[in-house]
Amino acid sequence: MRTICPQSETLGTVTPFPHLPHLLFPGEKPQPLPAAPTSQDELKRIAAHRAVDLVESGMVLGLGTGSTAVHALDRIGDLLRCGVLHDIVGIPTSKKTEAHALSIGIPLSDLDRHPSVDLSIDGADEVDPHLNLVKGRGGSLLREKMIEGASKRFVVIVDDSKMVDRLGCSGNSVPVEIIPFCWGYTLGQLKKLFAGECGFDARLRMTGDEKKEPFLTDNFNYIIDLYFENGITRDLNEVSDEILRLTGVVEHGMFLGLASSVIIAGEDGVTVKNKG
């Protein structure tokens, strides 16, 4: 019995295995989408499927975490099952991604055995005009940054609501992963670091029905969420260095200069922004 591989859908139209020429590069007009109500999840799926067009058999892949990345995982699983892709090895950026990838038949490994990753595909919480990112609001920022930083190419998939003028200006947090030991001290040091920022706040992320338990990352660390009323107005590299110099800080959710390309799905179509 012949296996029929699922086709890549685009809001009411069906395009079998869309490839990169259908994406947009600088100077090109957006690829129009059919006139139909477009949910945020549909836009995420469109961007994810376009990114998977970059995947080739034999690759080592960084497998992202989150609601956008799961669409890429499912598409890779489909292509493996129907034989379009083979000899793929995935390195998951979280325990949740690991479980999902195993459930759909993606072979897994880690950076110890595969220290060079051919391609990582992941979502982002914010993308600025220079392709700097905020990631990790789901709590997987450390593993994401390790794997995506080890990648030859890192492709980010987002819907157009994630595009911002500057990092931190969406009203959502910039996460910082810290060790649990004396977390209150580390929180205080982070507050001192941004004491002059108008409207700045920093809070320990809590979880549970009554939000009484600290959120734990896959590495059993805590998360401090930083909030900026007008976004981060200072030099991002300087801010990054200042945060990382604080004892007790493990990593932060600013991904600076790591993205190779960003695939953006919006009502007007799919576009690509490339680094440089």
Side-chain angles (χ1 to χ4, degrees):
M1 181 175 177
R2 186 168 66 91
T3 301
I4 299 175
C5 191
Q7 295 173 315
S8 179
E9 299 178 11
T10 305
L11 298 182
T13 65
V14 179
T15 306
F17 309 113
H19 296 292
L20 284 179
H22 296 287
L23 292 176
L24 296 183
F25 293 87
E28 296 185 65
K29 293 182 179 180
Q31 177 187 347
L33 299 179
T38 309
S39 71
Q40 188 178 43
D41 192 61
E42 286 173 328
L43 292 175
K44 291 176 179 180
R45 176 180 54 79
I46 292 166
H49 283 209
R50 293 298 185 267
V52 175
D53 290 336
L54 290 166
V55 178
E56 299 176 2
S57 295
M59 277 188 168
V60 177
L61 300 177
L63 306 178
T65 295
S67 60
T68 306
V70 73
H71 290 296
L73 290 177
D74 289 340
R75 182 63 176 159
I76 293 166
D78 288 342
L79 296 176
L80 283 169
R81 283 192 296 275
C82 67
V84 174
L85 292 176
H86 55 84
D87 299 321
I88 293 294
V89 175
I91 302 180
T93 55
S94 67
K95 291 180 179 178
K96 185 174 182 180
T97 294
E98 178 182 2
H100 186 69
L102 288 173
S103 74
I104 58 176
I106 301 176
L108 298 182
S109 185
D110 55 37
L111 286 178
D112 289 335
R113 288 174 287 178
H114 293 87
S116 179
V117 180
D118 295 304
L119 170 67
S120 283
I121 299 173
D122 203 354
D125 301 306
E126 294 181 359
V127 182
D128 78 4
H130 305 288
L131 306 192
N132 296 311
L133 318 171
V134 170
K135 288 178 52 56
R137 287 184 184 144
S140 302
L141 60 102
L142 176 59
R143 296 189 186 195
E144 288 174 337
K145 191 174 284 190
M146 288 180 68
I147 292 164
E148 289 152 9
S151 301
K152 298 172 185 175
R153 188 169 188 184
F154 173 30
V155 175
V156 179
I157 47 178
V158 295
D159 65 84
D160 56 5
S161 70
K162 305 299 184 183
M163 307 304 294
V164 296
D165 292 330
R166 67 173 67 93
L167 297 189
C169 74
S170 68
N172 294 312
S173 70
V174 177
V176 178
E177 186 162 345
I178 67 168
I179 64 169
F181 177 73
C182 292
W183 66 264
Y185 171 80
T186 307
L187 174 62
Q189 294 300 104
L190 285 165
K191 287 184 175 180
K192 284 182 182 178
L193 192 60
F194 297 99
E197 296 279 345
C198 179
F200 172 79
D201 193 18
R203 300 194 292 267
L204 180 70
R205 185 180 298 183
M206 308 298 284
T207 191
D209 293 338
E210 298 182 4
K211 301 293 183 182
K212 290 185 177 180
E213 297 294 327
F215 174 88
L216 281 180
T217 71
D218 285 347
N219 315 298
F220 303 102
N221 291 319
Y222 290 174
I223 294 282
I224 298 291
D225 286 314
L226 309 183
Y227 295 91
F228 299 85
E229 185 174 307
N230 299 307
I232 302 173
T233 56
R234 294 159 51 194
D235 180 88
L236 293 175
N237 288 300
E238 290 182 3
V239 171
S240 170
D241 290 344
E242 289 173 358
I243 293 174
L244 293 175
R245 279 199 294 266
L246 295 177
T247 304
V249 167
V250 178
E251 189 52 86
H252 60 68
M254 292 186 293
F255 285 51
L256 308 181
L258 289 181
S260 306
S261 305
V262 177
I263 298 175
I264 309 154
E267 292 286 349
D268 294 329
V270 180
T271 58
V272 175
K273 291 189 175 183
N274 294 305
K275 186 177 181 179

